[in-house]
Amino acid sequence: MSMHIFGQQASEEKAENARLSSFVGALALGDLVKSTLGPKGMNKILQSASSGDIQVTNDGATILKSIQLDNAAAKILVNISKVQDDEVGDGTTSVCVLAAELLREAEKLVAMKIHPQTIVEGYRVASIAALAALENAAVDHAYVFAFFWFSWDLFNIARTTLSSKVLSQEKDYFANLAVDAVLRLKGSTDLEHIQIIKKVGGKLTDSYLDEGFILDKTIAVNSPKRMENAKILIANTSMDTDKIKIFGARVKVDSTGKLAELERAEREKMKAKVDAIAVHGINCFVNRQLIYNYPESLLAEKGIMVIEHADFEGVERLSLVTGGEIASTFDRPDLVMLGKCDLIEEIIIGEDKLIKFSGVAAGEACTVVLRGSTNQMIDEAERSLHDALSVLSQTVKETRIMLMSCAVEEAARKVKGKKAIAAEAFSRALRQIPTILADNAGYDSSDLVTRLRAAHYEGQLDAGLDMNQGTIGSMRQLGVTESYKLKRQVVLSASEAAEMIIRVDDILRASPRRREAV
């Protein structure tokens, strides 16, 4: 006798149904993004239903974040893609595709009546072998940080990362730009020091790296347009109090003279605030909020450059790079740390005026100005460049993922029992990565992957797919280099996510919350 123990509209899927539902959702998500994988990957158009805005991208994390999902297993793949984006910045499509392929192989094994726990054990053996193969293939040039090899490796990593993005046609130009920006960080991984400004117009190669910090605002009227040896007070304070700001306040006066007294009191109050600001001994005042005409003219009279409405991100970043603090009150000038830079000047990019801060206290600060024909092109270029900058913050490199499949097959031969079948399935899933790369480029994947496998067994450990020629080539000679941390994170996240989904035997869905009528 079956007993219903759940509330209304709550549901349960058990055993094979639960497992099938999980597999189907994850495989559908893997099939969705796998056409974007690799240097010949295709783009997706994402259109907002509410605003109608569109994005054209082949970035896995961007695609997965933008789609609404109802399947629990598919959401797990989205989460590992987000983690990959946060941890390394690139490999978001690879990790989703690899997890989906592992689940595809697991589905076949479950159909062969192999227990999910056995599959998980086999996958663990295989992932350990894959990680060991990665570590053996990795090359560490960090000890020659300032010399040629390290910079060359960084350049190749950037080229490899950008080869699957919209910037692939100009990958050498942008790889150099990204390497220059990252080497300025002097080993730091804080990408806040690298600002990216997007301006529509020109072509992609009109983009450039500018030393210092560029603020996308204009200098106030009557203020000096150029300031050397600047002492900068960065503030977040109200400079528009020429009206009473008490909510709902009403003032009744019986003559225009009384009204004039009120206005005079307000002006005196603002004048005192401007005097308190000037006491700091500054020659540049940057405020996050608006600055009205009267305080602006008072500051200009004192020879202080005024920059208003520098939004929150601009103020935070300016504080970071100039070494100043954001002040809200001005009673204790001795406690306020001022920002410093050698030169502030107004520059023109395209048709827009911007403010450039040169010689800032944080010498590693720089700005990348991106140009392009459309907003969608520039947005995708920014995502591509961010991926390259994130990956370049790593220093340990390895060749390509195809080396691991052989190592896993070798490990599978030493395993006894049914676990060996699961370990072999793991190596087949890994081999799907070069298969998908070849399919996306329109090449014969069966021919290429079998030749690649033979090349690895013959001892050509740096053999990989030459996607331009459609042949097998040396990854070292082609300059295809990837971050060790990136590939390690891909294998770890994909295998852990696959294990988690394989072990599911029950899906419980809670009933939706009832909305009570008011």
Side-chain angles (χ1 to χ4, degrees):
M1 185 181 77
S2 64
M3 185 179 292
H4 190 74
I5 60 171
F6 299 110
Q8 286 184 347
Q9 293 182 299
S11 63
E12 179 186 25
E13 288 183 51
K14 283 189 171 182
E16 290 304 311
N17 285 342
R19 203 166 286 121
L20 185 64
S21 171
S22 299
F23 286 164
V24 165
L27 295 182
L29 202 65
D31 290 341
L32 172 72
V33 295
K34 75 179 183 183
S35 64
T36 68
L37 187 67
K40 306 285 186 178
M42 309 298 277
N43 287 344
K44 308 277 186 202
I45 291 182
L46 309 174
Q47 185 167 7
S48 167
S50 54
S51 63
D53 292 342
I54 65 163
Q55 281 182 311
V56 182
T57 182
N58 70 348
D59 181 52
T62 307
I63 295 166
L64 295 175
K65 276 189 286 192
S66 304
I67 52 180
Q68 299 293 320
L69 295 170
D70 189 38
N71 186 281
K75 287 182 179 177
I76 292 173
L77 294 200
V78 172
N79 287 339
I80 62 169
S81 182
K82 285 179 183 172
V83 169
Q84 183 75 16
D85 198 31
D86 295 340
E87 279 287 306
V88 190
D90 194 26
T92 51
T93 308
S94 302
V95 71
C96 183
V97 170
L98 181 56
E101 292 303 329
L102 288 171
L103 291 170
R104 199 185 303 275
E105 293 295 330
E107 187 179 26
K108 296 173 189 172
L109 298 180
V110 168
M112 292 163 58
K113 304 298 181 188
I114 296 176
H115 196 276
Q117 292 290 7
T118 307
I119 298 171
V120 167
E121 286 177 31
Y123 276 11
R124 283 183 183 161
V125 170
S127 65
I128 290 168
L131 292 171
L134 265 182
E135 196 149 350
N136 293 334
V139 180
D140 187 356
H141 284 146
Y143 59 89
V144 284
F145 188 91
F147 295 96
F148 171 76
W149 278 114
F150 186 72
S151 300
W152 181 245
D153 281 342
L154 287 181
F155 174 71
N156 282 331
I157 288 175
R159 284 179 79 247
T160 305
T161 303
L162 294 172
S163 64
S164 62
K165 315 285 184 189
V166 72
L167 301 177
S168 59
Q169 299 301 316
E170 311 291 349
K171 62 185 175 187
D172 287 1
Y173 179 82
F174 282 97
N176 270 319
L177 190 147
V179 170
D180 288 347
V182 167
L183 287 180
R184 289 179 64 84
L185 296 178
K186 302 183 180 76
S188 166
T189 57
D190 185 6
L191 296 180
E192 284 293 312
H193 286 102
I194 302 172
Q195 187 190 23
I196 298 178
I197 285 182
K198 300 177 286 186
K199 288 291 173 190
V200 177
K203 55 185 185 294
L204 281 171
T205 46
D206 290 340
S207 307
Y208 63 93
L209 178 73
D210 203 323
E211 296 182 6
F213 177 80
I214 296 177
L215 187 64
D216 195 358
K217 297 293 171 186
T218 52
I219 298 171
V221 182
N222 298 327
S223 289
K225 301 297 182 190
R226 178 185 168 90
M227 185 71 67
E228 294 184 4
N229 298 321
K231 294 178 182 176
I232 308 162
L233 177 60
I234 305 165
N236 180 13
T237 187
S238 168
M239 298 294 285
D240 58 353
T241 49
D242 55 356
K243 55 187 180 293
I244 294 170
K245 297 191 79 173
I246 302 169
F247 180 72
R250 297 174 69 186
V251 178
K252 287 186 179 179
V253 292
D254 52 12
S255 69
T256 54
K258 295 278 181 67
L259 183 62
E261 281 180 34
L262 279 171
E263 290 176 347
R264 194 179 306 114
E266 284 286 350
R267 290 168 77 86
E268 288 299 323
K269 185 178 169 187
M270 180 53 67
K271 190 171 186 300
K273 190 171 190 177
V274 170
D275 290 339
I277 290 169
V279 166
H280 289 74
I282 59 168
N283 52 16
C284 178
F285 179 65
V286 181
N287 193 27
R288 183 193 163 199
Q289 301 180 39
L290 285 170
I291 302 175
Y292 271 28
N293 292 350
Y294 179 63
E296 186 181 286
S297 63
L298 290 176
L299 288 164
E301 284 171 13
K302 296 177 184 292
I304 296 173
M305 179 187 283
V306 179
I307 302 167
E308 65 167 348
H309 215 252
D311 54 44
F312 188 71
E313 187 183 344
V315 166
E316 285 278 318
R317 194 164 291 187
L318 189 59
S319 166
L320 176 75
V321 300
T322 60
E325 291 178 347
I326 300 174
S328 296
T329 57
F330 312 103
D331 303 328
R332 296 288 303 275
D334 53 315
L335 299 180
V336 177
M337 189 175 291
L338 301 178
K340 292 182 174 62
C341 76
D342 294 342
L343 175 66
I344 303 175
E345 59 184 337
E346 202 167 59
I347 61 171
I348 295 177
I349 299 175
E351 297 178 353
D352 299 328
K353 290 181 179 178
L354 298 94
I355 307 166
K356 180 181 175 184
F357 296 77
S358 305
V360 291
E364 57 265 30
C366 60
T367 301
V368 177
V369 179
L370 283 179
R371 309 299 307 280
S373 54
T374 63
N375 283 318
Q376 288 80 18
M377 175 71 79
I378 294 179
D379 289 343
E380 180 66 358
E382 183 194 19
R383 284 189 287 271
S384 306
L385 194 61
H386 178 266
D387 286 358
L389 292 171
S390 301
V391 172
L392 287 179
S393 64
Q394 320 307 324
T395 53
V396 185
K397 281 117 348 247
E398 52 92 17
T399 48
R400 281 206 85 163
I401 195 169
M402 280 72 87
L403 299 180
M404 291 187 295
S405 182
C406 295
V408 174
E409 285 179 4
E410 292 291 336
R413 290 176 184 174
K414 299 172 187 173
V415 178
K416 296 177 182 176
K418 288 184 177 179
K419 286 187 292 187
I421 302 172
E424 287 171 7
F426 194 102
S427 75
R428 284 197 299 275
L430 282 174
R431 211 178 303 127
Q432 281 302 306
I433 298 289
T435 303
I436 293 166
L437 288 173
D439 285 340
N440 286 347
Y443 299 132
D444 184 350
S445 58
S446 303
D447 176 49
L448 280 177
V449 173
T450 48
R451 282 162 56 194
L452 176 63
R453 190 178 173 195
H456 283 161
Y457 277 116
E458 287 168 6
Q460 299 174 35
L461 293 181
D462 65 341
L465 300 183
D466 181 346
M467 300 307 290
N468 292 323
Q469 305 298 325
T471 58
I472 306 301
S474 164
M475 295 293 100
R476 198 164 283 119
Q477 290 173 13
L478 291 170
V480 177
T481 314
E482 293 193 87
S483 163
Y484 166 68
K485 184 176 179 182
L486 185 154
K487 287 302 175 199
R488 181 174 175 274
Q489 191 67 37
V490 165
V491 176
L492 279 174
S493 297
S495 55
E496 285 174 5
E499 284 177 24
M500 185 187 297
I501 294 168
I502 291 166
R503 292 169 69 160
V504 169
D505 75 336
D506 211 336
I507 298 175
L508 303 171
R509 291 190 181 88
S511 56
R513 191 177 66 182
R514 293 180 64 185
R515 296 186 180 276
E516 301 292 340
V518 179

